[in-house]
Amino acid sequence: MLPLKIAWRFVRSSWAQSALIIVGIAVGIAVQIFVGSLITSLQASLVKTTIGSSSHVTLTDPKDGQPVVYTERVQRLVTTTTGVKAVVPTRQVSTLYSNGTDRVPLTVKGGVLGELDRIYKLTPRTIAGTASLRPGEIMIGKDLAAKYALAPGDPLSLLTGSSRTTLRVSGVFDLGSSAANLRQAFSGPEFPRGLLGHRADQYTAIETQLTDPFLSKTVAAEWAAQLPTVKITNWQVENKDLLTALQSQSGSSYLIQVFVLVAVALGIASTLAVSAVQKSRQIGILKALGMADRRTGNIFFAEAMILGVTGTGLGVLTGYLLIAGFTAGTSRSPSSFPIVPEPGFIAISAAVGILVAVLSSLIPIRKTTRLDPIEVIQNG
Amino acid sequence: MAETLVVAEGLGRVYPGAVPTVALEGVSFQFDAGEFAAIVGRSGSGKSTLLNMLGLLDTPTHGSLMLGGRDVSRIGSSERAALRNELIGFVFQYHHLLPEFSVRENVAMPALIAGRRLDADLTKRVDETLDVLGLSGLGGKGANDLSGGQKQRVAIARALMNRPPLVLADEPTGNLDTESTDAVYDLFRTVNREWGTSFLIVTHDQEIASMTDRIFEIADGKLSQDVRNEFARPTRSPSGDPARP
Ligand SMILES: Nc1ncnc2c1ncn2[C@@H]1O[C@H](COP(=O)(O)OP(=O)(O)O)[C@@H](O)[C@H]1O
Ligand SMILES: [Mg+2]
């Protein structure tokens, strides 16, 4: 306890110097937390936009255009694999929407609404009409609806090969991407099945989502080993470029964080080194009065803890404020995403900050431990 | 018969180097509890070196040293620190007070180092010690808010805090005027008489030396004289209460 008390007096006696280094640590930790959270949230938001509403692992037939057979064995395998949160068999046809003057391509994905919702979240994303995929009904995206002035209840004429089918628009959805909102539509399972001539157990694709999307490679490999006749793709392979970009972004973010911590460490180390020199007379007299070498070292350990804990605490607070400020300041922009402060990451940053403080006290501790009191005492 | 406090036998200290410096050589003497002695000698003769070894701040390179019946010639640094705290009170030429602490905390420091807390009990003892040194009511002041003479008396109070059997003073009045110097010696004498504390005082001042009971003279690192001073003058100033100079 005495070393802590002495350390506290030392910190207080040169308070301007102490305040400066505390602010320095705080800025470093705040930047560390802000940059780290920003990058993580940005990536989470990118990944979510990319794969939040798409299949993570997809089962198809190896031959293009051929249906995959959804046997009981396949079903048992994919539904019982841990980490799989949704399995949605779908059929998909490419059609042309013709409104008399224009013909635009429109991909219609057919499935049971309750199942489709688990990946595409059609019901919560319905912005007009009702989410409904009964026979004869179709749901279209808001960009298609806006471009051709389509409203719920309107008929929609689709060409596939030589045949023409007219469905009724039940609802308009917003998938969050204008390409999808223009080119993608959803129907019940019967419409594409009739056009494709599938048996009841034949589908274009079995789409799945995982609780942890980054396990898609592992799950895909596991399934491929069990189902040699089925083609299994995963989003991580199909979005390799995105993932590479994210990885190099993470890499540069780590680099920034490491540099920030190095700067913090140098700051504390130099402050403590200066303090150890400034206070060597006091250390000498404490030793002469009978304080053991190791306990005098503990004074600078305690000083490092005081500076490190205070600076880190202040830095965590500032980091939260920066995040809140950023989120508030950008919330009106349409492309904004919230920065989510992750307690785990912040706890690690704080722990690293304090650890850095402790490590940077090692040199002054060594110096102090070795200080010979005679040298100090004889020169008044 | 008085208890033997210090036994030095062939004590020596050589500073290593290209040309090793023999700072002290073959010093042997006994020193009893309750003695009041001076160490005199030219500058550079080895007085501080001897005092530092007696105070366990330095280790002898030759000979042996017993302190309080214990051989302390070759003990480790943490043991030396603990013994220093328990057995020795230091007074240096410079007061060496800790400016970050109050007068009371400075005086209490040896007890705090020994693991005590500055509770009501200890505060009372500190204030009593301050009273003895004529520093009543100054406990709450900062160490830097005192005059030079007061600071040195606070340093003495600190040296006496743990009631050590031996006080080592290295030119304790080198920075003080005659009046303050006399007050300091009167104090040492009073403490020596009342508490039985032994004193070894390095001094340049012949008159001061003549007031002690025993005079060691060091010359070129050797103990050249060790004389009993049967006619020690009790004090230089006419008389008076030494606690209130
Ligand atoms: N750390 C040291 N290294 C080398 N020589 C030293 C050291 N300290 C003291 N000495 C030498 O030891 C001798 C005695 O010094 P000291 O005990 O300080 O003398 P005094 O206190 O009598 O003036 C001197 O010659 C001095 O130069
Ligand atoms: Mg000297």
Side-chain angles (χ1 to χ4, degrees), chain A residues 372 374-375 378, chain B residues 13-16 19-24 39-52 58 170-171 202 204 218 221:
Chain A
D372 182 357
I374 295 174
E375 280 171 32
Q378 270 168 10
Chain B
R13 176 67 160 103
V14 177
Y15 289 103
V19 183
T21 314
V22 181
L24 211 65
I39 302 177
V40 297
R42 305 244 300 261
S43 177
S45 57
K47 307 182 296 294
S48 297
T49 305
L50 175 62
L51 214 65
N52 290 340
D58 198 2
D170 196 346
E171 300 182 31
V202 170
H204 274 128
I218 310 282

mmCIF file of all heavy atoms in Angstrom, chain A residues 372 374-375 378, chain B residues 13-16 19-24 39-52 58 170-171 202 204 218 221, ligand 1:
data_model
loop_
_atom_site.group_PDB
_atom_site.id
_atom_site.type_symbol
_atom_site.label_atom_id
_atom_site.label_comp_id
_atom_site.label_asym_id
_atom_site.label_seq_id
_atom_site.Cartn_x
_atom_site.Cartn_y
_atom_site.Cartn_z
ATOM 1 N N ASP A 372 21.656 3.133 -6.063
ATOM 2 C CA ASP A 372 22.418 3.046 -4.821
ATOM 3 C C ASP A 372 22.127 4.293 -3.994
ATOM 4 O O ASP A 372 22.425 5.411 -4.411
ATOM 5 C CB ASP A 372 23.913 2.954 -5.153
ATOM 6 C CG ASP A 372 24.764 2.821 -3.899
ATOM 7 O OD1 ASP A 372 24.199 2.858 -2.786
ATOM 8 O OD2 ASP A 372 25.991 2.676 -4.043
ATOM 9 N N ILE A 374 23.520 5.627 -1.561
ATOM 10 C CA ILE A 374 24.675 6.449 -1.163
ATOM 11 C C ILE A 374 24.918 7.568 -2.175
ATOM 12 O O ILE A 374 25.171 8.712 -1.810
ATOM 13 C CB ILE A 374 25.935 5.575 -1.039
ATOM 14 C CG1 ILE A 374 25.741 4.572 0.097
ATOM 15 C CG2 ILE A 374 27.167 6.436 -0.776
ATOM 16 C CD1 ILE A 374 26.867 3.565 0.206
ATOM 17 N N GLU A 375 24.777 7.215 -3.463
ATOM 18 C CA GLU A 375 25.034 8.212 -4.512
ATOM 19 C C GLU A 375 24.147 9.432 -4.344
ATOM 20 O O GLU A 375 24.565 10.554 -4.554
ATOM 21 C CB GLU A 375 24.762 7.593 -5.890
ATOM 22 C CG GLU A 375 25.909 6.741 -6.379
ATOM 23 C CD GLU A 375 25.531 5.968 -7.624
ATOM 24 O OE1 GLU A 375 24.722 6.495 -8.425
ATOM 25 O OE2 GLU A 375 26.025 4.841 -7.779
ATOM 26 N N GLN A 378 24.742 11.525 -0.697
ATOM 27 C CA GLN A 378 25.922 12.330 -0.459
ATOM 28 C C GLN A 378 25.978 13.611 -1.263
ATOM 29 O O GLN A 378 26.719 14.510 -0.929
ATOM 30 C CB GLN A 378 27.165 11.468 -0.622
ATOM 31 C CG GLN A 378 27.403 10.932 0.763
ATOM 32 C CD GLN A 378 28.389 9.824 0.881
ATOM 33 O OE1 GLN A 378 29.107 9.498 -0.045
ATOM 34 N NE2 GLN A 378 28.425 9.248 2.032
ATOM 35 N N ARG B 13 37.175 -1.301 2.985
ATOM 36 C CA ARG B 13 36.350 -1.092 1.803
ATOM 37 C C ARG B 13 37.244 -0.640 0.669
ATOM 38 O O ARG B 13 37.929 0.391 0.770
ATOM 39 C CB ARG B 13 35.283 -0.021 2.085
ATOM 40 C CG ARG B 13 34.420 0.358 0.884
ATOM 41 C CD ARG B 13 33.545 -0.823 0.462
ATOM 42 N NE ARG B 13 32.399 -0.417 -0.344
ATOM 43 C CZ ARG B 13 32.351 -0.565 -1.687
ATOM 44 N NH1 ARG B 13 33.376 -1.054 -2.338
ATOM 45 N NH2 ARG B 13 31.251 -0.216 -2.340
ATOM 46 N N VAL B 14 37.291 -1.434 -0.386
ATOM 47 C CA VAL B 14 38.077 -1.083 -1.563
ATOM 48 C C VAL B 14 37.117 -0.858 -2.715
ATOM 49 O O VAL B 14 36.266 -1.706 -2.994
ATOM 50 C CB VAL B 14 39.074 -2.210 -1.917
ATOM 51 C CG1 VAL B 14 39.844 -1.859 -3.185
ATOM 52 C CG2 VAL B 14 40.039 -2.457 -0.759
ATOM 53 N N TYR B 15 37.211 0.293 -3.364
ATOM 54 C CA TYR B 15 36.400 0.543 -4.554
ATOM 55 C C TYR B 15 37.157 0.001 -5.747
ATOM 56 O O TYR B 15 38.291 0.390 -5.973
ATOM 57 C CB TYR B 15 36.130 2.036 -4.734
ATOM 58 C CG TYR B 15 35.183 2.594 -3.707
ATOM 59 C CD1 TYR B 15 35.641 3.355 -2.639
ATOM 60 C CD2 TYR B 15 33.819 2.347 -3.807
ATOM 61 C CE1 TYR B 15 34.769 3.864 -1.685
ATOM 62 C CE2 TYR B 15 32.931 2.850 -2.869
ATOM 63 C CZ TYR B 15 33.413 3.605 -1.806
ATOM 64 O OH TYR B 15 32.536 4.091 -0.885
ATOM 65 N N PRO B 16 36.534 -0.914 -6.488
ATOM 66 C CA PRO B 16 37.247 -1.500 -7.625
ATOM 67 C C PRO B 16 37.422 -0.463 -8.727
ATOM 68 O O PRO B 16 36.716 0.539 -8.771
ATOM 69 C CB PRO B 16 36.323 -2.637 -8.076
ATOM 70 C CG PRO B 16 34.962 -2.258 -7.588
ATOM 71 C CD PRO B 16 35.153 -1.392 -6.380
ATOM 72 N N VAL B 19 42.619 1.609 -11.051
ATOM 73 C CA VAL B 19 43.452 1.727 -9.858
ATOM 74 C C VAL B 19 42.505 1.662 -8.661
ATOM 75 O O VAL B 19 41.836 2.637 -8.356
ATOM 76 C CB VAL B 19 44.214 3.079 -9.839
ATOM 77 C CG1 VAL B 19 45.131 3.138 -8.623
ATOM 78 C CG2 VAL B 19 44.958 3.300 -11.140
ATOM 79 N N PRO B 20 42.416 0.486 -7.993
ATOM 80 C CA PRO B 20 41.451 0.360 -6.900
ATOM 81 C C PRO B 20 41.708 1.378 -5.794
ATOM 82 O O PRO B 20 42.865 1.655 -5.458
ATOM 83 C CB PRO B 20 41.666 -1.070 -6.402
ATOM 84 C CG PRO B 20 42.322 -1.782 -7.532
ATOM 85 C CD PRO B 20 43.158 -0.764 -8.233
ATOM 86 N N THR B 21 40.621 1.971 -5.260
ATOM 87 C CA THR B 21 40.755 2.940 -4.175
ATOM 88 C C THR B 21 40.522 2.234 -2.849
ATOM 89 O O THR B 21 39.472 1.636 -2.638
ATOM 90 C CB THR B 21 39.693 4.052 -4.318
ATOM 91 O OG1 THR B 21 39.675 4.482 -5.673
ATOM 92 C CG2 THR B 21 39.991 5.207 -3.388
ATOM 93 N N VAL B 22 41.511 2.310 -1.970
ATOM 94 C CA VAL B 22 41.325 1.756 -0.630
ATOM 95 C C VAL B 22 40.750 2.876 0.219
ATOM 96 O O VAL B 22 41.462 3.767 0.671
ATOM 97 C CB VAL B 22 42.654 1.247 -0.051
ATOM 98 C CG1 VAL B 22 42.421 0.652 1.341
ATOM 99 C CG2 VAL B 22 43.273 0.215 -0.982
ATOM 100 N N ALA B 23 39.440 2.865 0.444
ATOM 101 C CA ALA B 23 38.792 3.948 1.179
ATOM 102 C C ALA B 23 38.866 3.701 2.678
ATOM 103 O O ALA B 23 38.852 4.641 3.468
ATOM 104 C CB ALA B 23 37.332 4.078 0.736
ATOM 105 N N LEU B 24 38.956 2.429 3.051
ATOM 106 C CA LEU B 24 38.985 2.084 4.468
ATOM 107 C C LEU B 24 39.779 0.792 4.625
ATOM 108 O O LEU B 24 39.689 -0.097 3.778
ATOM 109 C CB LEU B 24 37.542 1.877 4.968
ATOM 110 C CG LEU B 24 37.272 2.225 6.432
ATOM 111 C CD1 LEU B 24 37.463 3.713 6.684
ATOM 112 C CD2 LEU B 24 35.843 1.832 6.790
ATOM 113 N N ILE B 39 33.263 11.131 15.063
ATOM 114 C CA ILE B 39 34.261 10.641 14.120
ATOM 115 C C ILE B 39 34.838 11.879 13.442
ATOM 116 O O ILE B 39 34.101 12.660 12.853
ATOM 117 C CB ILE B 39 33.652 9.704 13.060
ATOM 118 C CG1 ILE B 39 32.971 8.502 13.738
ATOM 119 C CG2 ILE B 39 34.716 9.232 12.081
ATOM 120 C CD1 ILE B 39 32.286 7.558 12.771
ATOM 121 N N VAL B 40 36.163 12.062 13.582
ATOM 122 C CA VAL B 40 36.789 13.216 12.951
ATOM 123 C C VAL B 40 37.849 12.741 11.967
ATOM 124 O O VAL B 40 38.235 11.570 11.961
ATOM 125 C CB VAL B 40 37.416 14.169 13.995
ATOM 126 C CG1 VAL B 40 36.345 14.757 14.914
ATOM 127 C CG2 VAL B 40 38.478 13.437 14.818
ATOM 128 N N GLY B 41 38.282 13.666 11.125
ATOM 129 C CA GLY B 41 39.283 13.309 10.126
ATOM 130 C C GLY B 41 39.187 14.252 8.951
ATOM 131 O O GLY B 41 38.173 14.922 8.763
ATOM 132 N N ARG B 42 40.283 14.266 8.148
ATOM 133 C CA ARG B 42 40.309 15.168 6.997
ATOM 134 C C ARG B 42 39.278 14.737 5.972
ATOM 135 O O ARG B 42 38.832 13.596 5.957
ATOM 136 C CB ARG B 42 41.708 15.132 6.367
ATOM 137 C CG ARG B 42 42.835 15.459 7.349
ATOM 138 C CD ARG B 42 43.547 16.724 6.954
ATOM 139 N NE ARG B 42 44.134 16.606 5.622
ATOM 140 C CZ ARG B 42 45.425 16.333 5.415
ATOM 141 N NH1 ARG B 42 46.217 16.108 6.452
ATOM 142 N NH2 ARG B 42 45.901 16.294 4.195
ATOM 143 N N SER B 43 38.973 15.648 5.098
ATOM 144 C CA SER B 43 38.061 15.328 4.017
ATOM 145 C C SER B 43 38.680 14.237 3.142
ATOM 146 O O SER B 43 39.873 14.279 2.843
ATOM 147 C CB SER B 43 37.798 16.597 3.195
ATOM 148 O OG SER B 43 36.974 16.287 2.124
ATOM 149 N N GLY B 44 37.893 13.235 2.800
ATOM 150 C CA GLY B 44 38.384 12.149 1.956
ATOM 151 C C GLY B 44 39.107 11.065 2.727
ATOM 152 O O GLY B 44 39.659 10.137 2.138
ATOM 153 N N SER B 45 39.100 11.151 4.071
ATOM 154 C CA SER B 45 39.826 10.159 4.860
ATOM 155 C C SER B 45 39.063 8.844 4.997
ATOM 156 O O SER B 45 39.664 7.826 5.334
ATOM 157 C CB SER B 45 40.129 10.736 6.246
ATOM 158 O OG SER B 45 38.931 11.137 6.876
ATOM 159 N N GLY B 46 37.755 8.868 4.772
ATOM 160 C CA GLY B 46 36.988 7.619 4.825
ATOM 161 C C GLY B 46 35.889 7.605 5.876
ATOM 162 O O GLY B 46 35.320 6.551 6.162
ATOM 163 N N LYS B 47 35.555 8.781 6.433
ATOM 164 C CA LYS B 47 34.539 8.851 7.493
ATOM 165 C C LYS B 47 33.162 8.400 6.990
ATOM 166 O O LYS B 47 32.505 7.568 7.619
ATOM 167 C CB LYS B 47 34.447 10.282 8.038
ATOM 168 C CG LYS B 47 35.767 10.871 8.496
ATOM 169 C CD LYS B 47 35.598 12.260 9.068
ATOM 170 C CE LYS B 47 35.115 13.297 8.053
ATOM 171 N NZ LYS B 47 36.084 13.594 6.974
ATOM 172 N N SER B 48 32.762 8.941 5.832
ATOM 173 C CA SER B 48 31.447 8.570 5.299
ATOM 174 C C SER B 48 31.407 7.098 4.916
ATOM 175 O O SER B 48 30.398 6.416 5.125
ATOM 176 C CB SER B 48 31.112 9.434 4.082
ATOM 177 O OG SER B 48 31.017 10.781 4.459
ATOM 178 N N THR B 49 32.529 6.625 4.390
ATOM 179 C CA THR B 49 32.586 5.217 4.013
ATOM 180 C C THR B 49 32.337 4.334 5.233
ATOM 181 O O THR B 49 31.548 3.380 5.175
ATOM 182 C CB THR B 49 33.962 4.896 3.395
ATOM 183 O OG1 THR B 49 34.186 5.788 2.300
ATOM 184 C CG2 THR B 49 34.020 3.469 2.907
ATOM 185 N N LEU B 50 32.959 4.692 6.332
ATOM 186 C CA LEU B 50 32.773 3.918 7.562
ATOM 187 C C LEU B 50 31.322 3.992 8.032
ATOM 188 O O LEU B 50 30.698 2.978 8.355
ATOM 189 C CB LEU B 50 33.710 4.442 8.656
ATOM 190 C CG LEU B 50 33.539 3.804 10.033
ATOM 191 C CD1 LEU B 50 33.838 2.312 9.977
ATOM 192 C CD2 LEU B 50 34.413 4.487 11.077
ATOM 193 N N LEU B 51 30.806 5.210 8.036
ATOM 194 C CA LEU B 51 29.438 5.404 8.522
ATOM 195 C C LEU B 51 28.434 4.633 7.655
ATOM 196 O O LEU B 51 27.509 4.002 8.174
ATOM 197 C CB LEU B 51 29.114 6.906 8.513
ATOM 198 C CG LEU B 51 28.194 7.365 9.632
ATOM 199 C CD1 LEU B 51 28.874 7.194 10.977
ATOM 200 C CD2 LEU B 51 27.759 8.796 9.425
ATOM 201 N N ASN B 52 28.654 4.662 6.330
ATOM 202 C CA ASN B 52 27.737 3.964 5.428
ATOM 203 C C ASN B 52 27.760 2.458 5.661
ATOM 204 O O ASN B 52 26.735 1.786 5.527
ATOM 205 C CB ASN B 52 28.084 4.263 3.960
ATOM 206 C CG ASN B 52 27.770 5.705 3.588
ATOM 207 O OD1 ASN B 52 26.971 6.362 4.268
ATOM 208 N ND2 ASN B 52 28.394 6.195 2.541
ATOM 209 N N ASP B 58 26.199 0.215 2.792
ATOM 210 C CA ASP B 58 27.319 -0.272 1.987
ATOM 211 C C ASP B 58 27.804 -1.583 2.620
ATOM 212 O O ASP B 58 27.586 -1.808 3.806
ATOM 213 C CB ASP B 58 28.438 0.792 2.018
ATOM 214 C CG ASP B 58 29.429 0.589 0.883
ATOM 215 O OD1 ASP B 58 29.232 -0.336 0.071
ATOM 216 O OD2 ASP B 58 30.408 1.367 0.817
ATOM 217 N N ASP B 170 26.042 12.164 9.619
ATOM 218 C CA ASP B 170 27.195 12.512 8.784
ATOM 219 C C ASP B 170 27.201 14.018 8.551
ATOM 220 O O ASP B 170 26.437 14.529 7.740
ATOM 221 C CB ASP B 170 27.114 11.751 7.453
ATOM 222 C CG ASP B 170 28.457 11.759 6.716
ATOM 223 O OD1 ASP B 170 29.331 12.548 7.094
ATOM 224 O OD2 ASP B 170 28.598 10.975 5.759
ATOM 225 N N GLU B 171 28.045 14.713 9.280
ATOM 226 C CA GLU B 171 28.102 16.167 9.244
ATOM 227 C C GLU B 171 26.709 16.782 9.305
ATOM 228 O O GLU B 171 26.310 17.524 8.413
ATOM 229 C CB GLU B 171 28.861 16.631 7.990
ATOM 230 C CG GLU B 171 30.279 16.085 8.004
ATOM 231 C CD GLU B 171 31.099 16.552 6.806
ATOM 232 O OE1 GLU B 171 30.832 17.670 6.338
ATOM 233 O OE2 GLU B 171 31.978 15.797 6.358
ATOM 234 N N VAL B 202 29.767 12.223 12.614
ATOM 235 C CA VAL B 202 30.906 12.701 11.835
ATOM 236 C C VAL B 202 30.884 14.221 11.870
ATOM 237 O O VAL B 202 29.860 14.844 11.599
ATOM 238 C CB VAL B 202 30.815 12.215 10.374
ATOM 239 C CG1 VAL B 202 31.867 12.905 9.524
ATOM 240 C CG2 VAL B 202 30.963 10.705 10.304
ATOM 241 N N HIS B 204 33.383 18.073 11.528
ATOM 242 C CA HIS B 204 34.611 18.823 11.294
ATOM 243 C C HIS B 204 34.944 19.726 12.471
ATOM 244 O O HIS B 204 36.050 20.209 12.609
ATOM 245 C CB HIS B 204 34.438 19.731 10.065
ATOM 246 C CG HIS B 204 34.738 19.032 8.801
ATOM 247 N ND1 HIS B 204 33.854 19.029 7.739
ATOM 248 C CD2 HIS B 204 35.786 18.302 8.416
ATOM 249 C CE1 HIS B 204 34.379 18.331 6.757
ATOM 250 N NE2 HIS B 204 35.553 17.878 7.142
ATOM 251 N N ILE B 218 39.952 9.245 11.920
ATOM 252 C CA ILE B 218 40.273 8.460 10.729
ATOM 253 C C ILE B 218 41.304 9.244 9.931
ATOM 254 O O ILE B 218 41.147 10.447 9.714
ATOM 255 C CB ILE B 218 39.032 8.237 9.845
ATOM 256 C CG1 ILE B 218 37.847 7.711 10.664
ATOM 257 C CG2 ILE B 218 39.350 7.310 8.675
ATOM 258 C CD1 ILE B 218 37.897 6.260 10.996
ATOM 259 N N GLY B 221 42.003 6.342 5.650
ATOM 260 C CA GLY B 221 41.266 5.087 5.672
ATOM 261 C C GLY B 221 41.554 4.210 6.865
ATOM 262 O O GLY B 221 41.028 3.106 6.968
HETATM 263 N N1 LIG C 1 31.895 5.406 -5.042
HETATM 264 C C1 LIG C 1 33.228 5.586 -4.906
HETATM 265 N N2 LIG C 1 34.061 5.109 -5.837
HETATM 266 C C2 LIG C 1 35.384 5.272 -5.731
HETATM 267 N N3 LIG C 1 35.965 5.908 -4.706
HETATM 268 C C3 LIG C 1 35.196 6.425 -3.730
HETATM 269 C C4 LIG C 1 33.769 6.282 -3.791
HETATM 270 N N4 LIG C 1 33.248 6.901 -2.699
HETATM 271 C C5 LIG C 1 34.300 7.376 -1.990
HETATM 272 N N5 LIG C 1 35.464 7.097 -2.603
HETATM 273 C C6 LIG C 1 36.790 7.436 -2.129
HETATM 274 O O1 LIG C 1 36.967 6.910 -0.825
HETATM 275 C C7 LIG C 1 37.691 7.780 -0.033
HETATM 276 C C8 LIG C 1 36.937 8.105 1.245
HETATM 277 O O2 LIG C 1 35.779 8.856 0.945
HETATM 278 P P1 LIG C 1 34.757 9.340 2.049
HETATM 279 O O3 LIG C 1 34.446 8.196 2.926
HETATM 280 O O4 LIG C 1 33.612 9.968 1.365
HETATM 281 O O5 LIG C 1 35.587 10.433 2.839
HETATM 282 P P2 LIG C 1 35.096 11.500 3.918
HETATM 283 O O6 LIG C 1 33.679 11.240 4.226
HETATM 284 O O7 LIG C 1 36.006 11.272 5.080
HETATM 285 O O8 LIG C 1 35.346 12.846 3.340
HETATM 286 C C9 LIG C 1 37.976 9.012 -0.885
HETATM 287 O O9 LIG C 1 39.296 8.916 -1.378
HETATM 288 C C10 LIG C 1 36.992 8.925 -1.974
HETATM 289 O O10 LIG C 1 37.498 9.510 -3.144
#
